[in-house]
Amino acid sequence: MEEIKLGTFTQEDLKEEVGSEEIVNTSVKQSKKITLKDIDLTNRFTGISDGTKVAKPCHFAAREGLSEIANDGFYLLHAVGDIKSEALKNDQSILYTLSYKIINTPLDELDEKVAQGLIDEIRWPYETINDIFHTLAEHDFFVKIDNKTRLNTSIDNLFKRPLYVKLQSAIDELNKRGVTLKTDNQDWINIIKEHKKNQLEAKIRDLKALGTENANKIANTLEEDLKNMSDPHYVDIDYVARKDVLLEFTSVGHLFKCKLEDETDEMKADSKAMGRLWNDIMDTEPQNIDFDATIEKIKAIRYKYEKSWRKPDLRDYLDDDKKR
């Protein structure tokens, strides 16, 4: 085969990187101009390949993977629930165009990071919704969203707050794009419950197979748990996670911003009271902690100083790459 010149690279140099696969140098069909509201991504497709050789050729399998991810436009529907949404179809169309562009770009001209960035720019709000729906379902939290949804991102529920902040940012982004939203995570809840049920049944079978007195006692206890899971009102509470949340909530040192000489008797008393609460939580078994009552005790102290310190900035709970 005639050697293909790739800038400072040769076909021989690429054997270790892409194997013996022949580099695809088919001509790239001009992309149809597709706009996403005020963002024109078509002109940015040239960032994948403008004919300039990249420093390190893309791996053959990496190009296949990127194209496959971009081509999975139907995935977006799971987070939205409205197949008739024109803006959703627009996002899907952009991804399909990206997929075609990626697979037809020569390996030595394909910048993986640029291609992945363009895919992520379209997919991130949909993936955020799916991921958070799944996480909340694991804790048996039901959530339903539409275009008018405004989630409670206050500090009252520390477990859900950072998730709700990210979820709200995804909803806001899809609203900007004009995507119609109407969906919930009930399917995720059902799937996870069924999975936990199957795991529990398998563990019971294994214990009973041992036949020992202790194994049978544990199996009987697990059978009671299995029976509870059939109750539609049953909630599988992660008590350890709840304890961690309470311990985190008692951390108030950053709220006392004054110097030692400015510390009032009330602040000293509140600091000691919070310390006692921390010790009580630490010394109590997770399942024996009254979560709601303890939260109220902590809030009674904490809120006095939070209000005088600063209003919590919800952006603190967003990942850097999701601050938009």
Side-chain angles (χ1 to χ4, degrees), residues 34 70-78 82-83 85-98 122 126:
I34 305 171
N71 195 49
D72 188 16
F74 186 76
Y75 169 91
L76 278 56
L77 177 61
H78 300 312
D82 184 6
I83 197 170
S85 174
E86 290 301 320
L88 169 67
K89 293 177 183 177
N90 187 51
D91 280 357
Q92 291 173 324
S93 180
I94 293 173
L95 285 175
Y96 295 147
T97 304
L98 268 172
I122 300 297
Y126 301 97

Side-chain angles (χ1 to χ4, degrees), residues 90-222:
N90 187 51
D91 280 357
Q92 291 173 324
S93 180
I94 293 173
L95 285 175
Y96 295 147
T97 304
L98 268 172
S99 176
Y100 179 85
K101 175 74 175 179
I102 290 168
I103 203 64
N104 286 286
T105 298
L107 292 171
D108 65 316
E109 297 176 13
L110 180 60
D111 189 319
E112 289 183 57
K113 290 184 178 179
V114 171
Q116 186 67 62
L118 289 172
I119 294 170
D120 291 344
E121 187 159 354
I122 300 297
R123 289 173 63 105
W124 80 261
Y126 301 97
E127 290 180 338
T128 296
I129 291 173
N130 273 306
D131 291 345
I132 293 177
F133 271 11
H134 181 269
T135 301
L136 292 172
E138 287 181 325
H139 295 268
D140 209 46
F141 283 122
F142 174 81
V143 60
K144 184 175 182 179
I145 62 173
D146 57 32
N147 294 92
K148 296 180 180 179
T149 295
R150 288 295 174 268
L151 296 164
N152 178 13
T153 55
S154 70
I155 204 167
D156 292 338
N157 192 318
L158 289 179
F159 171 73
K160 289 193 290 187
R161 178 184 176 184
L163 296 178
Y164 274 14
V165 170
K166 292 180 181 180
L167 183 55
Q168 187 66 61
S169 70
I171 294 171
D172 293 343
E173 172 64 23
L174 292 180
N175 274 332
K176 289 178 185 176
R177 300 184 190 182
V179 176
T180 304
L181 281 168
K182 190 176 182 183
T183 187
D184 59 55
N185 70 334
Q186 186 60 58
D187 286 344
W188 271 123
I189 291 174
N190 295 338
I191 290 169
I192 290 172
K193 277 189 174 180
E194 187 64 26
H195 178 64
K196 288 181 178 179
K197 180 182 175 183
N198 292 338
Q199 284 185 318
L200 205 53
E201 288 175 340
K203 190 177 290 186
I204 291 170
R205 285 195 301 269
D206 291 342
L207 287 167
K208 287 188 173 181
L210 292 174
T212 65
E213 182 179 353
N214 194 42
N216 286 331
K217 284 182 179 179
I218 297 173
N220 290 336
T221 301
L222 294 179

